[in-house]
Amino acid sequence: MTDISADLLALTTTLKMAAITTVILLLIGTPLAWYLAKWQSRFKVFFEAIVALPLVLPPTVLGFYLLLAFSPTSLPGQFWQSATGSQLAFSFSAIVIGSVLYSLPFVVQPLQKAFEQLGDHHLEAAAMLGAGPIDRFFSVVLPLTKASFITATALGFAHTVGEFGVVLMIGGNIPGETRVLSIALFDHVEAFNYANAHLLSAGLLIASLLLLSMVYLLGNNFNKRQQSAINS
Amino acid sequence: MSATPNYLTLAFKLAFNGFEIAVDQNIHLSAITGIYGDSGSGKSTLLRVISGLEQKAIGHVSLSGALLQDSEQKCFIKAENRQIGLVFQDSRLFPHLSVYQNLAYGAKRQKQSTLSIEKVLTLTKLNQLQHQNVTQLSGGEKQRVSIARALLAEPKLLLLDEPFSALDKTTKSQMLTILKEIQQQLQLPMLYVSHSLSELQYIADQLIVVSAGKISQAYPIHQAIHQLNSSGETSAKTSLSLTVAEHLPDYGLTRLSLPTSQDNVCSIYLPLLEQTAQPNLIGHQLRCIIYARDISISLTKPEHSSIVNHLSATISAIANSKTHALITLQVAEQQFYAQISLWSANRMALTTKANVYIQFKANAVHSHHYTESSPNA
């Protein structure tokens, strides 16, 4: 395989991982953010700290513990093996699970803040008009916190694309399975293949910059509207 | 709308903001039942419990026998299933929806609707505004949308929590008139919370007083206001219904008559009512308030006075406080309250059963009445 086609494969693996991770993050991060926003207990800070851990922890620490958990000799690893028939460690599923944990705060935190800001006022009004909880979420919460959902999605996606430590620990370097862009880049540098390293680095840098600029541009516009709408 | 509910049974306790609201009352619902109390007395919480927004209330709530919640039976009908409407003080319109979409929000979620959006737009005089963004509306317009939205959810009972307290006086009068018309057209029972007695006097048929988490029985509006006079919490006033007799535009006055069982008609004059709209109000009942501090007492008939209103009255009670005397007087079947200085009371040697004259200026007669064909709140 040429370097270029290997790098393209790493790119598709990365995008696939980031896309799947982002979808899972929105599905579990939304209810999690909702409960953290509404929950009133002194234990809440503990759970907030757990969600925020990946922000401060070296990814390799998370990766190390996940590696232990995913090994065929541990309980989660065994369970996965008996349920799917294949090993969890060094698989695509493993790096998706790792990414979900690693990018969790980037999705949960903006959503939690948005739900807290939204408050109960509009939800109570909707309930008085006959809307049940699910109905209220889709007809009131989602449209009024759209800006935060866009921010959460983009940050979750971008952060997953940029992941290295966790993948290295639990995914290894299997082309088409767990070899993502950051790993491919590391390989090029180790092989003194600076031309390809430049290509990947500059590509990632520009793509990330563009994505973040777009997030902030959209976020600013939407946020202004979100704020004025909620406060009106 | 299904059968109009006629009573509300409340027997619950709820701790909130460091004190407890404890209610045990069976309220016969009239057209509009007023709920009066100071801020923080628990009147908003009372509405929230009836609405189903306070799940922590312990006890029993039912509407015409239909159970809404009972903590012993572990029964709690959620707010969205109670068919009770609530108009919030801060309107709480959905900012991402237009006026029309806000109205449709409630209408869409009903199994059977008897009201059309078009009819409600007309009732609330919102036809011109239906395509507007709700964030651009004025305070009065927002509350009209809020009421319209609540009506379209087809409630059996409509609760209003200080809906017009943030509005200026003119807009408030327009809103009260519109609300009263809506009530008459739809025959929908309402509970109306306010800390303004004059507002409640205009709109409510009966009044419940909330004080420090306890609620009183419902009394007919004039009687309830007179009962508050003796509590000393509010400035004493006479609350009465008068019939519009004739307009005297040349003098800038309107003459009202006080119904009496005797043949002699008592006339009371107030500043000329606006007559731009149909009908001209002759024969209509008008609720008026006269503050006790605006009524003075004379021992002789004040024939040489600029004060237009003077009525022959009999003193039925005298209550002295540190600074003044509150005199209760009877004019035919109507009670009046006059507040005079202790000095005057002593000097005149007033006693119960004494026959005296009360007098007050036309300007002292207050009424929320407002007529204008198209409100532009």
Side-chain angles (χ1 to χ4, degrees), chain B residues 195-214:
Chain B
H195 66 270
S196 155
L197 264 187
S198 63
E199 206 175 309
L200 289 164
Q201 195 248 9
Y202 175 75
I203 195 121
D205 323 281
Q206 57 174 4
L207 191 69
I208 290 169
V209 178
V210 182
S211 169
K214 299 268 185 298

Side-chain angles (χ1 to χ4, degrees), chain A residues 121-122 124-133 135-136 139-140 143-144 229 232, chain B residues 48 51 53 79-80 84 86 88 90 92-96 105 109-110 135 149 153:
Chain A
H121 280 193
H122 290 104
E124 287 181 351
M128 294 313 298
L129 297 169
D135 186 356
R136 295 200 286 271
S139 63
V140 176
L144 288 179
S232 70
Chain B
R48 290 178 61 83
S51 305
L53 295 175
E80 57 263 33
I84 289 177
L86 176 56
F88 298 90
D90 51 352
R92 304 192 184 181
L93 302 178
F94 301 127
H96 57 296
Y105 191 97
R109 286 162 174 81
Q110 302 317 308
T135 52
R149 186 177 70 166

Side-chain angles (χ1 to χ4, degrees), chain A residues 15-35:
Chain A
L15 292 178
K16 196 171 116 193
M17 171 185 75
I20 294 174
T21 300
T22 308
V23 170
I24 296 174
L25 273 174
L26 285 173
L27 290 179
I28 62 171
T30 305
L32 184 59
W34 183 261
Y35 283 108

Side-chain angles (χ1 to χ4, degrees), chain A residues 142-159:
Chain A
L142 203 56
L144 288 179
T145 54
K146 196 161 58 181
S148 301
F149 270 93
I150 292 172
T151 308
T153 307
L155 287 181
F157 185 86
H159 189 247

Side-chain angles (χ1 to χ4, degrees), chain A residues 196-228:
Chain A
N196 285 69
H198 268 308
L199 197 67
L200 283 188
S201 296
L204 268 178
L205 185 72
I206 293 167
S208 301
L209 194 64
L210 284 177
L211 183 61
L212 286 179
S213 304
M214 233 160 67
V215 170
Y216 285 120
L217 183 73
L218 272 177
N220 277 347
N221 288 343
F222 270 119
N223 257 322
K224 264 181 227 152
R225 245 182 290 168
Q226 187 169 310
Q227 289 304 326
S228 66

Side-chain angles (χ1 to χ4, degrees), chain B residues 36-104:
Chain B
Y36 169 75
D38 293 329
S39 48
S41 57
K43 47 194 195 312
S44 293
T45 310
L46 177 67
L47 291 196
R48 290 178 61 83
V49 172
I50 301 168
S51 305
L53 295 175
E54 293 291 343
Q55 302 220 15
K56 287 179 185 152
I58 297 165
H60 172 101
V61 178
S62 63
L63 181 61
S64 279
L67 192 59
L68 295 178
Q69 69 189 72
D70 192 307
S71 40
E72 271 177 32
Q73 295 179 40
K74 296 212 184 314
C75 163
F76 187 91
I77 309 285
K78 287 181 179 168
E80 57 263 33
N81 299 324
R82 287 197 178 188
Q83 280 190 284
I84 289 177
L86 176 56
V87 175
F88 298 90
Q89 185 177 4
D90 51 352
S91 70
R92 304 192 184 181
L93 302 178
F94 301 127
H96 57 296
L97 302 177
S98 70
V99 169
Y100 189 89
Q101 289 167 324
N102 263 278
L103 303 199

